Amino acid sequence: MSTFTDLVQSRRSAMNFVEGIKIPQNELEDMFSLTRLAPSSSNLQHTHYKVISDPALKEEIRRGAYDQYKIHTASAVIIVLGDKLAYQQAPEIYSGLKLLGAMSQEEYDNTIQSINDAYEGNDAFQRDEAIRNASLSAMQFMLIAKDKGWDTCPMIGFDPDAIKATLNIPDHLVPALMITIGKDYKRKIRPRGYRKPVNEFVEFF
């Protein structure tokens, strides 16, 4: 187990992967079991993942991602989706707290009403929340993957409509980003590109 500081400092986006390495499904399930603990607005857990390791389907995804070679060499490509209708699951998500007595009926009703008021009929907010929360979850997944010995690369260079068509993704799920995962071909930690000093991107008041 890495210390968290070491983990953050050693993570790099992998530009190419060692071809032919498979990730056991039980390892992926372990990573996603930890990923599910990522924060999400109102605990609505907006994120859905599609993990593609089948070589033929990976090549179809590659065509929808401008033929990027790292998709070909990656052990898997993961489509990160945000659910615009996640708020509709609020009654199910909060019912457990009510049954445990951690939330009164009034608190439960007010919480569900507040969530519905924010989301219903507000497509822009639904989409923004879907992408925001999916991105939070994706970053957690990438750190977990690194801790387990896997390298990743987040990607936005793809045609969302092509990916949705290939995987028959319904309209309420928004492709937020794509993650390739495998073993970095270069293996050695590359020098990190320029990073702004703290005083250039943080203001204290």
Side-chain angles (χ1 to χ4, degrees):
M1 177 73 72
S2 308
T3 68
F4 184 71
T5 299
D6 290 340
L7 188 66
V8 170
Q9 291 176 339
S10 64
R11 192 209 64 80
R12 299 288 191 281
S13 292
M15 296 296 102
N16 197 7
F17 299 90
V18 180
E19 193 169 351
I21 295 179
K22 296 185 181 298
I23 305 179
Q25 185 169 324
N26 67 313
E27 283 196 45
L28 285 163
E29 289 174 352
D30 286 346
M31 287 187 263
F32 284 115
S33 183
L34 292 170
T35 301
R36 69 196 179 96
L37 303 177
S40 63
S41 179
S42 298
N43 193 33
L44 295 178
Q45 303 166 60
H46 306 66
T47 316
H48 290 249
Y49 290 91
K50 291 189 181 289
V51 182
I52 297 97
S53 53
D54 176 77
L57 188 52
K58 264 204 309 167
E59 291 305 308
E60 286 190 53
I61 297 297
R62 182 182 173 187
R63 285 194 289 274
Y66 313 118
D67 204 35
Q68 294 183 68
Y69 187 66
K70 59 177 165 272
I71 293 175
H72 172 75
T73 58
S75 301
V77 58
I78 299 169
I79 313 302
V80 186
L81 304 163
D83 187 356
K84 295 197 299 181
L85 302 182
Y87 72 96
Q88 295 180 355
Q89 298 171 24
E92 178 184 350
I93 288 169
Y94 282 92
S95 62
L97 290 174
K98 186 178 67 170
L99 287 171
L100 289 170
M103 177 179 274
S104 69
Q105 183 66 50
E106 182 181 9
E107 289 171 325
Y108 173 85
D109 292 340
N110 289 340
T111 298
I112 301 305
Q113 187 61 54
S114 177
I115 291 169
N116 287 339
D117 288 346
Y119 281 86
E120 280 185 344
N122 192 341
D123 186 72
F125 182 71
Q126 290 175 15
R127 181 179 175 81
D128 287 349
E129 280 288 89
I131 294 171
R132 267 192 291 263
N133 288 280
S135 299
L136 280 171
S137 179
M139 187 70 247
Q140 181 141 317
F141 172 82
M142 287 188 288
L143 288 172
I144 291 164
K146 184 62 178 175
D147 192 47
K148 301 290 187 183
W150 298 96
D151 300 296
T152 60
C153 183
M155 301 168 57
I156 60 168
F158 61 90
D159 179 347
D161 291 334
I163 299 303
K164 289 178 73 172
T166 297
L167 298 175
N168 296 314
I169 295 170
D171 286 340
H172 68 93
L173 294 179
V174 180
L177 67 151
M178 183 183 291
I179 299 171
T180 42
I181 183 170
K183 298 290 186 179
D184 193 335
Y185 184 76
K186 296 205 171 182
R187 301 198 180 186
K188 292 182 180 179
I189 296 179
R190 297 186 304 278
R192 192 181 288 283
Y194 171 75
R195 289 295 191 271
K196 294 178 181 180
V198 170
N199 64 0
E200 286 192 14
F201 70 96
V202 181
E203 295 181 67
F204 295 96
F205 296 93

